[in-house]
Amino acid sequence: MKFSYITHLHCPKCQKEYRYDQIQQLCECGSPLLVDYDLQELKKHWTPSSLAGRGHDLWRYHELLPVVDPDNIVTLGEGMTPLLRMDRIGATMGIDHLWMKDEGIIPTGSFKARGAAVGVSKAKELGVSELAMPTNGNAGAAWALYAARAGIKASIVMPIEAPVITRNECAISGANLNLVNGLISDAGKIVAQAVRDHGLFDASTLKEPYRIEGKKTMGLEIAEQLNWKVPDVILYPTGGGVGIIGIYKALKELAELGWISDKLPRLVAVQAAGCAPIVKAWEERKSSSEFWENSETAAFGINVPKALGDFLVLEAIYATDGCAIAIDDASLLQEQADIARLEGAFICPEGAATFSAARRLRESGWIKAGETVIALNTGSGIKYPETVQVEVPTLEPGERMIRE
Amino acid sequence: MKFSYITHLHCPKCQKEYRYDQIQQLCECGSPLLVDYDLQELKKHWTPSSLAGRGHDLWRYHELLPVVDPDNIVTLGEGMTPLLRMDRIGATMGIDHLWMKDEGIIPTGSFKARGAAVGVSKAKELGVSELAMPTNGNAGAAWALYAARAGIKASIVMPIEAPVITRNECAISGANLNLVNGLISDAGKIVAQAVRDHGLFDASTLKEPYRIEGKKTMGLEIAEQLNWKVPDVILYPTGGGVGIIGIYKALKELAELGWISDKLPRLVAVQAAGCAPIVKAWEERKSSSEFWENSETAAFGINVPKALGDFLVLEAIYATDGCAIAIDDASLLQEQADIARLEGAFICPEGAATFSAARRLRESGWIKAGETVIALNTGSGIKYPETVQVEVPTLEPGERMIRE
């Protein structure tokens, strides 16, 4: 048994192959690269029962991850996040089997930890000493902290409007942090220039091939947590789209291994009404998206006007008979509050959008009665204090409690 | 096999016994109550291998928890937090086997989730419809959210200086929140009055007997994660002290079950120099503490001038040959920054204090070379943005990255 069954990387556009034992970024043709494994060989040795007794983190799936030597693993205990029943909010939308995969319960408080753990581990394995990346906040925080743990220097550029706490995370990690008075696309240009100027490793979304493998573990975990019976629908808040690409990849790999059936869940890309390039492309049945001008939403993590992997997101939707749907800010913020009040979960606005989307899709009949639905919450609400209005009385010592 | 082996509650001061199927608060004599289990019966049926295949949360230990009917469990997926090697920061203090139990990776971002999960579940089982509690922030947030999930109404009173994010958590849960221009002791008096005025369930620390059982699971998990070999030293940030009381109780129960040896880890109560009543009592070899006047510390969660369970904390220290130590704010904030920079973990100031304490105790020789040491981090740093100074450049789109 090998620790990893990685064989090579390939370009999903031009099919060119690349080695996994050298640093890779984009394909020559400009496309992101995907990682391949020897699934036929792995199938002979590896069954669901192989997982018994393994650690409760994403590294339990190390055969399907790209790190070759376990000594290179950089971990903060990420993965195996809770899959929670959401019966009370589900009842308000007529969905009897509604679950939340809660990616708030993870180091750095967001699902970005998965991509960072696997991406930084592989960067360490390949000898990277310094990386740079643009971010809407959470990814930069995660990569900065995991890079610190790995002893890798990190330079991060984020919009000035990104969640403030993510600045603190970058700063305390010792990373080099710059803010930009613009969007993540502006941050991306600054990083690209710095990469050229200084020969840094470019850790931008999908410009390095391994974060997908980290995100993929959400799909592996959902399948394992449902005892290898996949749900009917998975809803995912989609900005850069790596999560939905990763989940789709995970499910295809599990089907090829024979651990789940070939009938995959319908994948739903959920976007904000103020930034919905994937939804527009899907509605027009296109295979790639156009830059969304003047994008704006309270769900900051999905404010991505044009994703490098848009064609992979759209492929995942088309191939699974999924769909794409846009949610306005007022609806997702209301949903966020209702979930806290009914379910006791303080989730992020991006995650709340997936519940709004489930509600709409049940109303329209796209989600049918009796179907099992999973909403992905990508982060903890405690990173988004500005989404909550707090107006409460202040007492002096000795005064009586004011009770509504 | 029963789901829980609870038999009754008893008073550790006057030994009076109480039933577990009725709502209980303090003993008639004013002492907190402790929960008892039929360990001799349980021992016949339950071994470490019984845990194989169970869920990765604290309910895997349900035989040693007070909830009798699994239908009453109110869960957000709490427990089985990571136990992480801390080699790089350990090297700076001459401790070769330093680990962190990271309670930031849990619903609501703090270890308070454990007490709330078990306390609220048992309150639900006993038919409680409304609870009230004072808090330094994190406990109130956790109880408010778990109560929301249980459909129980919550009234929370916290100091105006408590971490701001915990106000948001209470508010979005739909709880009734009051701030007080004072300390947690002032909040406690307001709650006590409201309990008298309105006949509410008093969920104040140790005035309800079940949060200890939730906190206890930290001790159970540490033992399981080290394969039932306990460490030499466990350091705990001590405010109300429920965590250290719970860990001590867990270790005694495991020893009685024969799952670990009788030689328990030395337990260390870590306090802030600005609020160190347990340290003072321990230095004077007393069995209880005195109210600490004008307490103040950046580690807000351990700003507890007088703990109701102080005598139980001191018993745990004396019985295990442990100690108590106070850390000044400058040291613990420096430690917090060093841990982020070297280990990639953004922990809370209370947690950082335990690392400072380990450093001091190694310097003094109290921790010996080669010993295995566990520092408890009680919460995520993302709940404490004010502990980080952020001074970073802001660029306009098209400008070049400023690189240190």
Side-chain angles (χ1 to χ4, degrees):
Chain A
M1 286 294 287
K2 289 182 292 185
F3 189 72
S4 169
Y5 280 72
I6 187 172
T7 54
H8 62 283
L9 293 79
H10 82 273
C11 172
K13 276 203 172 146
C14 77
Q15 310 305 323
K16 187 171 161 63
E17 297 192 354
Y18 291 85
R19 296 173 61 149
Y20 68 81
D21 57 357
Q22 297 171 344
I23 294 174
Q24 307 292 357
Q25 306 255 218
L26 292 176
C27 179
E28 287 169 8
C29 79
S31 165
L33 297 175
L34 297 177
V35 180
D36 289 280
Y37 299 86
D38 187 349
L39 297 175
Q40 292 315 310
E41 183 60 27
L42 180 54
K43 200 173 177 173
K44 298 179 195 162
H45 307 292
W46 205 45
T47 66
S49 64
S50 309
L51 301 175
R54 290 196 178 178
H56 303 154
D57 58 37
L58 62 80
W59 299 101
R60 65 197 275 106
Y61 308 111
H62 57 77
E63 287 89 343
L64 278 182
L65 292 172
V67 177
V68 172
D69 180 348
D71 286 348
N72 291 319
I73 288 176
V74 180
T75 182
L76 290 165
E78 56 287 334
M80 265 300 159
T81 56
L83 184 68
L84 299 172
R85 294 199 66 96
M86 300 295 271
D87 293 343
R88 295 176 77 201
I89 194 83
T92 68
M93 48 180 94
I95 299 179
D96 293 336
H97 307 290
L98 180 64
W99 299 77
M100 173 167 71
K101 177 72 172 164
D102 192 358
E103 294 287 304
I105 319 303
I106 202 165
T108 78
S110 96
F111 76 126
K112 300 289 187 180
R114 294 183 190 266
V118 175
V120 167
S121 295
K122 191 66 186 175
K124 183 182 172 196
E125 185 156 86
L126 294 171
V128 168
S129 61
E130 188 170 354
L131 60 82
M133 66 184 296
T135 178
N136 267 343
N138 281 321
W143 281 75
L145 285 159
Y146 280 88
R149 190 161 176 87
I152 293 174
K153 194 172 167 191
S155 283
I156 311 289
V157 185
M158 68 171 68
I160 199 163
E161 289 186 6
V164 174
I165 188 65
T166 62
R167 293 186 199 176
N168 299 51
E169 294 177 272
C170 291
I172 200 168
S173 77
N176 177 45
L177 174 64
N178 284 198
L179 304 178
V180 60
N181 190 17
L183 293 178
I184 189 172
S185 40
D186 300 303
K189 288 171 195 156
I190 291 166
V191 165
Q193 184 65 47
V195 165
R196 285 193 296 273
D197 290 348
H198 307 292
L200 309 179
F201 179 66
D202 191 342
S204 304
T205 301
L206 296 181
K207 288 191 183 172
E208 70 75 47
Y210 299 108
R211 72 197 327 118
I212 293 180
E213 301 305 298
K215 299 281 185 72
K216 183 177 84 176
T217 57
M218 289 186 284
L220 302 176
E221 289 177 17
I222 288 169
E224 183 176 0
Q225 287 171 316
L226 293 176
N227 202 23
W228 313 109
K229 288 185 185 64
V230 295
D232 297 295
V233 175
I234 300 177
L235 302 109
Y236 202 87
T238 305
V242 182
I244 199 166
I245 296 168
I247 289 173
Y248 177 56
K249 188 169 188 286
L251 295 170
K252 281 199 302 180
E253 288 172 357
L254 288 176
E256 196 166 333
L257 287 171
W259 291 24
I260 61 171
S261 87
D262 287 340
K263 183 159 169 19
L264 301 188
R266 310 198 304 280
L267 299 179
V268 179
V270 180
Q271 298 204 295
C275 184
I278 300 285
V279 177
K280 182 165 182 290
W282 176 78
E283 286 172 346
E284 296 168 354
R285 293 297 179 270
K286 291 189 175 157
S287 60
S288 66
S289 67
E290 289 162 28
F291 190 93
W292 188 276
E293 298 291 345
N294 304 314
S295 63
E296 193 170 9
T297 169
F300 203 78
I302 52 176
N303 190 343
V304 179
K306 163 76 180 172
L308 191 57
D310 56 357
F311 69 102
L312 296 169
V313 174
L314 287 157
E315 182 197 324
I317 298 171
Y318 294 132
T320 61
D321 293 320
C323 69
I325 181 171
I327 305 295
D328 63 279
D329 281 8
S331 296
L332 66 89
L333 291 172
Q334 182 61 53
E335 200 77 42
Q336 184 195 32
D338 289 345
I339 290 165
R341 189 173 46 80
L342 290 173
E343 299 285 4
F346 180 19
I347 70 175
C348 67
E350 295 86 353
T354 65
F355 286 87
S356 291
R359 185 181 299 279
R360 299 277 174 85
L361 292 171
R362 181 70 190 97
E363 277 167 11
S364 74
W366 192 90
I367 292 175
K368 295 171 209 61
E371 289 196 316
T372 297
V373 177
I374 294 189
L376 247 299
N377 173 43
T378 44
S380 172
I382 57 182
K383 300 191 84 170
Y384 298 76
E386 72 287 351
T387 58
V388 187
Q389 298 299 318
V390 185
E391 287 169 26
V392 294
T394 300
L395 309 177
E396 293 301 316
E399 289 188 341
R400 270 191 158 76
M401 180 190 289
I402 296 170
R403 203 155 144 268
E404 287 150 5
Chain B
M1 286 291 289
K2 289 183 290 185
F3 189 73
S4 169
Y5 280 73
I6 187 171
T7 54
H8 61 283
L9 293 80
H10 82 273
C11 172
K13 276 203 172 145
C14 77
Q15 309 306 323
K16 186 170 162 63
E17 297 191 355
Y18 292 85
R19 296 173 60 147
Y20 69 80
D21 57 356
Q22 297 171 345
I23 293 174
Q24 307 292 356
Q25 306 254 217
L26 292 175
C27 180
E28 287 169 10
C29 80
S31 165
L33 297 174
L34 297 177
V35 179
D36 289 280
Y37 299 86
D38 188 349
L39 298 175
Q40 292 314 309
E41 184 62 25
L42 180 54
K43 200 173 176 172
K44 296 179 196 162
H45 307 290
W46 206 46
T47 65
S49 63
S50 309
L51 302 175
R54 290 195 178 179
H56 304 155
D57 59 36
L58 62 78
W59 299 100
R60 65 196 276 106
Y61 309 111
H62 58 76
E63 287 89 343
L64 278 182
L65 292 172
V67 176
V68 171
D69 180 347
D71 286 346
N72 291 318
I73 289 177
V74 180
T75 182
L76 290 165
E78 56 288 333
M80 265 299 158
T81 56
L83 184 67
L84 299 172
R85 295 198 64 94
M86 300 295 269
D87 292 343
R88 295 176 78 199
I89 194 83
T92 70
M93 50 179 92
I95 299 179
D96 294 336
H97 307 289
L98 179 64
W99 299 77
M100 172 167 72
K101 178 72 171 165
D102 191 359
E103 294 287 304
I105 319 302
I106 202 165
T108 78
S110 96
F111 75 125
K112 301 288 186 181
R114 293 182 189 266
V118 174
V120 168
S121 295
K122 192 66 187 176
K124 182 183 172 195
E125 186 158 85
L126 294 171
V128 168
S129 61
E130 187 170 355
L131 60 84
M133 64 182 297
T135 178
N136 268 341
N138 281 321
W143 280 75
L145 284 160
Y146 280 89
R149 191 162 175 86
I152 293 174
K153 194 173 169 191
S155 284
I156 311 289
V157 185
M158 68 171 69
I160 198 163
E161 289 186 7
V164 174
I165 188 66
T166 62
R167 291 187 200 175
N168 299 50
E169 294 177 271
C170 291
I172 199 167
S173 78
N176 178 44
L177 174 63
N178 283 199
L179 304 180
V180 60
N181 190 18
L183 293 178
I184 189 172
S185 41
D186 300 303
K189 286 171 198 158
I190 291 166
V191 166
Q193 184 65 47
V195 164
R196 284 193 297 272
D197 289 349
H198 307 291
L200 309 180
F201 178 66
D202 191 342
S204 304
T205 301
L206 296 180
K207 287 190 184 172
E208 69 76 46
Y210 298 107
R211 68 194 335 115
I212 293 181
E213 301 305 299
K215 300 281 186 76
K216 184 176 85 174
T217 57
M218 289 187 284
L220 302 177
E221 289 178 17
I222 289 170
E224 182 176 1
Q225 288 171 314
L226 293 176
N227 202 23
W228 312 109
K229 286 185 185 63
V230 295
D232 297 294
V233 175
I234 299 176
L235 301 110
Y236 203 87
T238 305
V242 181
I244 199 165
I245 296 167
I247 289 173
Y248 177 57
K249 187 168 188 288
L251 295 170
K252 282 199 301 181
E253 289 172 357
L254 288 176
E256 196 166 332
L257 288 170
W259 291 23
I260 62 170
S261 86
D262 287 339
K263 182 157 170 19
L264 301 188
R266 310 196 308 276
L267 299 179
V268 179
V270 180
Q271 298 203 296
C275 183
I278 299 286
V279 177
K280 181 165 183 288
W282 176 77
E283 285 172 346
E284 296 168 354
R285 294 297 179 272
K286 290 188 175 157
S287 62
S288 66
S289 67
E290 289 163 29
F291 190 93
W292 189 275
E293 299 289 345
N294 303 314
S295 63
E296 193 170 8
T297 168
F300 203 78
I302 51 176
N303 191 343
V304 180
K306 163 77 179 172
L308 192 56
D310 56 356
F311 70 102
L312 296 169
V313 174
L314 287 158
E315 182 196 326
I317 298 172
Y318 294 132
T320 61
D321 293 319
C323 69
I325 181 170
I327 305 295
D328 62 277
D329 280 7
S331 296
L332 66 89
L333 290 173
Q334 182 61 52
E335 201 77 41
Q336 184 195 32
D338 290 345
I339 289 165
R341 190 173 46 81
L342 290 173
E343 299 285 4
F346 181 19
I347 69 175
C348 69
E350 296 85 354
T354 64
F355 286 88
S356 291
R359 187 182 297 281
R360 299 276 173 86
L361 293 171
R362 180 70 191 96
E363 277 167 11
S364 74
W366 192 89
I367 292 176
K368 295 171 209 63
E371 289 196 317
T372 297
V373 176
I374 294 189
L376 246 300
N377 173 45
T378 44
S380 172
I382 59 183
K383 300 191 84 170
Y384 298 78
E386 71 289 349
T387 58
V388 187
Q389 297 300 315
V390 185
E391 287 169 27
V392 294
T394 300
L395 310 176
E396 294 301 317
E399 289 188 340
R400 271 191 157 76
M401 181 189 287
I402 296 170
R403 205 156 141 265
E404 286 152 5

